[in-house]
Amino acid sequence: MINHSQKLEELIDGEVQEIVESSYKEARQVLADHYDKLKDMAQQLLKREKIDESDIVAILGPRPQQKEVSEAETGWEKKSAAEKNAAPISTRRAVN
C-alpha cells in the first residue's frame, strides 16, 4: 500500500522530471538556433584563450534591453553597489 507521502514524492519526481526534460530541450534548441554564434565564440576562445565583453558583443550583438522594475512593483528597496557587496553585519570580523 502506498501512503500519501509516497504518492506526493512520486508526483513531485514526475513534475521535476518534466521540468528538467523541457529545460534541456529548450537549451538545445537555443544552442541550435544560435550555433553559428556559438561556433564563432569558440573559435575566438581557441585563438586568443580569453575574450572580453566587447568581443562577446561583436559576436552576439548588444544585449536586449531589459525593463527596469521599480521599487513599487517589487516591494524591495533598491540598494547601492556598496550595499549589495557589503557582508551582513553578523559575518563581519571586528578589527582590533
Side-chain angles (χ1 to χ4, degrees):
M1 178 175 193
I2 297 178
N3 64 33
H4 291 291
S5 62
Q6 287 174 322
K7 286 181 184 179
L8 181 59
E9 185 178 325
E10 289 173 5
L11 179 65
I12 292 170
D13 287 346
E15 291 292 323
V16 168
Q17 186 64 33
E18 286 180 29
I19 292 169
V20 169
E21 287 175 7
S22 172
S23 298
Y24 177 77
K25 287 177 184 174
E26 183 179 348
R28 286 189 58 96
Q29 188 62 52
V30 168
L31 292 171
D33 291 348
H34 301 283
Y35 182 75
D36 57 331
K37 294 176 182 179
L38 178 63
K39 192 173 177 181
D40 290 345
M41 192 176 298
Q43 289 299 321
Q44 287 297 318
L45 284 165
L46 287 170
K47 226 188 278 184
R48 299 184 0 208
E49 293 186 15
K50 150 178 145 170
I51 59 177
D52 61 23
E53 181 182 0
S54 64
D55 299 317
I56 294 170
V57 170
I59 294 167
L60 301 179
R63 280 184 141 179
Q65 296 298 319
Q66 295 179 348
K67 178 185 172 231
E68 190 69 29
V69 180
S70 71
E71 287 180 39
E73 290 175 289
T74 64
W76 300 337
E77 182 180 332
K78 289 188 179 183
K79 295 182 178 181
S80 69
E83 290 173 317
K84 289 178 186 175
N85 294 327
I89 293 171
S90 62
T91 61
R92 291 184 186 159
R93 292 185 179 172
V95 178
N96 295 327

